[in-house]
Amino acid sequence: MGTRELGMPDRFPADGVVERVTIWEVGARDGLQNEQSIVPLEVKAEFLRRLAEAGLTTLEATSFVHPDWVPQLADAEQLLAGIDRHDGVRYPVLVPNERGLDRALASGVTHIAVFASATEEFARRNLNSDLTGQFEMFAPVVERARAAGLDVRGYLSMCFGDPWEGGVAPEQVADVAARLRELGCSQLSLGDTIGVATPGHVERVLAAVSARGVPVDAVAVHFHDTYGQALANTLAALRAGVSTVDASAGGLGGCPYAASATGNLATEDLVWMLDGLGVEHGVDLDKLVATSLWMAEQLGRPAPSRVVRALGG
């Protein structure tokens, strides 16, 4: 065996895995929204700049949720007005309702995401709605956004388990996913919000969603690493044909509405696995690790990512 390049795994392509993955980087939004302290505006802007320089082409920049709900992202307008946008990089934002959409449109965004729940209880706690009523809230948002030429993603939380309800039937997830698709969401991100999924469970949910007519190229996955299963679950999704994976630089984030939701899948850990599989992704791992080490300094604590810790010393 030849000498391994520093910071790179040996490459052994695996059968049945997609050839290329788009990484939907959520660190600046899903990562920073869970911080106890407010990250300065200039640090957020620099974080986005460094992520783009590392080769990430989809950077979820911020959220237009009411500041009382997520004070960490209260500076959404200022951030979008001040960032240095890179050619070929998308900067989607999260919007909860029509007021959030108004703010997003005024800021000149071209991609938005709405966030739905696969369970009754999380819909009640997170959206002040119920499983059916949430669609009445999303419908005008998606309709207006599409009419304005915006691309719309739909996040679907609690797809694999709910801390209040317990298990979630794959068919229930598929029903909600199909409704979101019918509303006009071009992509659906299936979220393991509390990190309880395992690979067989992932296969079952993806099969149920596919059976409801949602094409696999319209599906993304969003795994949390609560029980150390995020990479295994991602590999299961890749084998099922999913080619968009959400990840957070350094492993930042969680969910402010679910205490049991720990950090997101770390982008560096994902990139390491993809490199080993020979899957294309376009990200410079060294630059990404340097970015997460820099952000860890800003936050005053080590990055959760195992690859960052291994390569960063």
Side-chain angles (χ1 to χ4, degrees), residues 227-250:
Y227 295 94
Q229 301 295 297
L231 277 178
N233 292 334
T234 299
L235 181 57
L238 300 184
R239 291 187 184 279
V242 172
S243 60
T244 299
V245 179
D246 297 0
S248 177

Side-chain angles (χ1 to χ4, degrees), residues 63-67 73-77 98-109:
S63 169
F64 284 98
V65 175
H66 194 284
L73 303 181
D75 55 5
E77 282 92 350
E98 287 196 86
R99 173 56 185 145
L101 177 62
D102 290 339
R103 295 172 61 198
L105 290 171
S107 295
V109 305

Side-chain angles (χ1 to χ4, degrees), residues 43-103:
V43 172
K44 295 176 183 175
E46 178 65 10
F47 189 33
L48 288 167
R49 187 192 70 78
R50 291 178 181 236
L51 291 170
E53 290 289 337
L56 289 154
T57 56
T58 302
L59 304 177
E60 195 163 85
T62 188
S63 169
F64 284 98
V65 175
H66 194 284
D68 288 348
W69 295 0
V70 185
Q72 295 85 347
L73 303 181
D75 55 5
E77 282 92 350
Q78 297 94 317
L79 178 65
L80 290 174
I83 59 175
D84 180 18
R85 297 173 186 263
H86 285 59
D87 291 339
V89 177
R90 300 186 298 169
Y91 298 86
V93 301
L94 200 67
V95 301
N97 49 36
E98 287 196 86
R99 173 56 185 145
L101 177 62
D102 290 339
R103 295 172 61 198

Side-chain angles (χ1 to χ4, degrees), residues 13-14 26 41 47 57 71 102 144 164-165 167 201 213 224 236 276 288 300 304:
V26 300
L41 179 64
F47 189 33
T57 56
D102 290 339
R144 286 183 52 203
W164 300 282
E165 294 186 16
H201 193 176
H224 286 204
L288 182 59

